[in-house]
Amino acid sequence: MQGGFGRLFFCLFRRTCPVTTTAIVSALHEELAAVLALMPDEQQQVVGGRTFWRGHLHGHDVVAVLSGIGKVAAATTATVLVERFGVQRIVFTGVAGGLAPGVRVGDVVVAQRFLQHDMDASPIFPRHEVPGYGRASFDADAALTAQLARASERVLRALPSQLGPEVLNAFELQTPRCHQGLLISGDRFVSTTAESQALREALPEALAVEMEGAAFAQVCHDYGVPLAVVRTISDRADDAAHVDFPRFLREVASRYSGAIIDALLTQR
Ligand code: ADE
């Protein structure tokens, strides 16, 4: 599209059909690699010490980035995505530790709500309430979350049989399920049965625990940007939480995330 006529047509098209830029945020290098492998034309830009990858994925304008680990790193990444890259929606993929009884390794949790389990300004504010907001939890975007849940369910039906019997047996992945509900975040990798039990008692509705989702949710609430988060369950946040973690990331989680993003962006 070199000529003046082509450029004029392109400008008119962009004005009448404004492009929605989608941020694809991965918690792990392995997941980001799976997303970048789907992008034919990505170009990198470094902002705030983070590498952002701009390009296209199935015709969608996309910015892909690692979230960083923990709530502060996640909040900075979310803010840069909105302020500098002008993204209009954010989709986050990662792993989490299962908390609720039926949430098993290999299942997927699509968040409907987010809460910081380590937020505690009591007795000045009720435990878990975020001061200044009058609330403890933030919602995911309902429409984007419904799309992400559909994409996740599609992947869960197809992918386990492609992982191979050795991986399936190692992680007991025969019948993975997709759960929707409360996801909790805090600046701790929860790796003892005592701590996960304490979280279950304090927050009985929580399905799973991770370290970034609620920070993204608060920033997205501040800017009015739709957010959807999917987490593959990598462990049960108990005394065995660390044992198979690297292998799970490599052989299962990154393949789930790549396939879920692929399914989301090809959905009609
Ligand atoms: N991400 C994956 N597993 C986790 C756990 N057990 N605690 C916090 N974040 C996690």
Side-chain angles (χ1 to χ4, degrees):
M1 201 182 318
Q2 303 290 323
F5 188 69
R7 192 183 303 255
L8 177 66
F9 178 75
F10 184 67
C11 289
L12 284 173
F13 178 77
R14 289 288 283 242
R15 191 167 290 186
T16 36
C17 309
V19 173
T20 299
T21 303
T22 304
I24 307 290
V25 182
S26 309
L28 311 163
H29 284 279
E30 293 86 344
E31 290 179 305
L32 181 66
V35 171
L36 292 179
L38 301 170
M39 294 170 64
D41 60 347
E42 77 278 8
Q43 302 216 324
Q44 54 172 303
Q45 192 175 333
V46 177
V47 181
R50 292 144 170 78
T51 303
F52 294 80
W53 301 85
R54 284 203 90 131
H56 294 86
L57 212 167
H58 296 308
H60 293 264
D61 211 35
V62 158
V63 182
V65 66
L66 280 178
S67 64
I69 295 174
K71 291 182 294 172
V72 174
T76 303
T77 304
T79 307
V80 173
L81 281 169
V82 176
E83 286 282 1
R84 190 67 87 87
F85 291 90
V87 302
Q88 281 104 4
R89 54 184 197 162
I90 297 180
V91 179
F92 191 122
T93 70
V95 291
L99 284 178
V103 179
R104 298 164 38 142
V105 171
D107 285 359
V108 155
V109 168
V110 177
Q112 288 177 325
R113 280 189 312 129
F114 306 87
L115 177 146
Q116 298 177 45
H117 66 75
D118 53 358
M119 172 60 75
D120 189 356
S122 62
I124 303 165
F125 296 92
R127 187 175 176 199
H128 299 133
E129 181 170 313
V130 183
Y133 289 78
R135 55 160 76 200
S137 69
F138 294 88
D139 293 334
D141 180 75
L144 188 56
T145 296
Q147 286 179 37
L148 188 61
R150 272 202 303 280
S152 304
E153 272 159 10
R154 229 165 89 195
V155 167
L156 283 188
R157 279 196 294 275
L159 198 63
S161 61
Q162 295 164 21
L163 292 175
E166 214 255 308
V167 175
L168 287 179
N169 290 338
F171 297 105
E172 299 173 17
L173 299 179
Q174 275 80 351
T175 51
R177 291 177 54 202
C178 179
H179 310 265
Q180 291 189 58
L182 178 65
L183 186 64
I184 62 173
S185 314
D187 287 320
R188 297 182 57 79
F189 186 88
V190 180
S191 58
T192 67
T193 304
E195 197 179 347
S196 54
Q197 187 52 31
L199 287 173
R200 269 190 291 277
E201 275 159 26
L203 296 161
E205 281 179 71
L207 296 179
V209 60
E210 37 81 301
M211 301 176 70
E212 297 85 19
F216 262 81
Q218 189 171 330
V219 173
C220 285
H221 168 87
D222 289 344
Y223 284 99
V225 171
L227 170 72
V229 174
V230 59
R231 294 277 186 171
T232 304
I233 302 302
S234 55
D235 57 85
R236 281 287 305 166
D238 56 12
D239 295 330
H242 57 289
V243 176
D244 288 332
F245 200 62
R247 184 174 174 206
F248 188 87
L249 302 188
R250 219 177 34 247
E251 297 184 15
V252 182
S254 57
R255 298 189 55 188
Y256 270 63
S257 319
I260 289 170
I261 293 301
D262 197 44
L264 176 73
L265 296 183
T266 50
Q267 221 171 66
R268 268 157 288 147

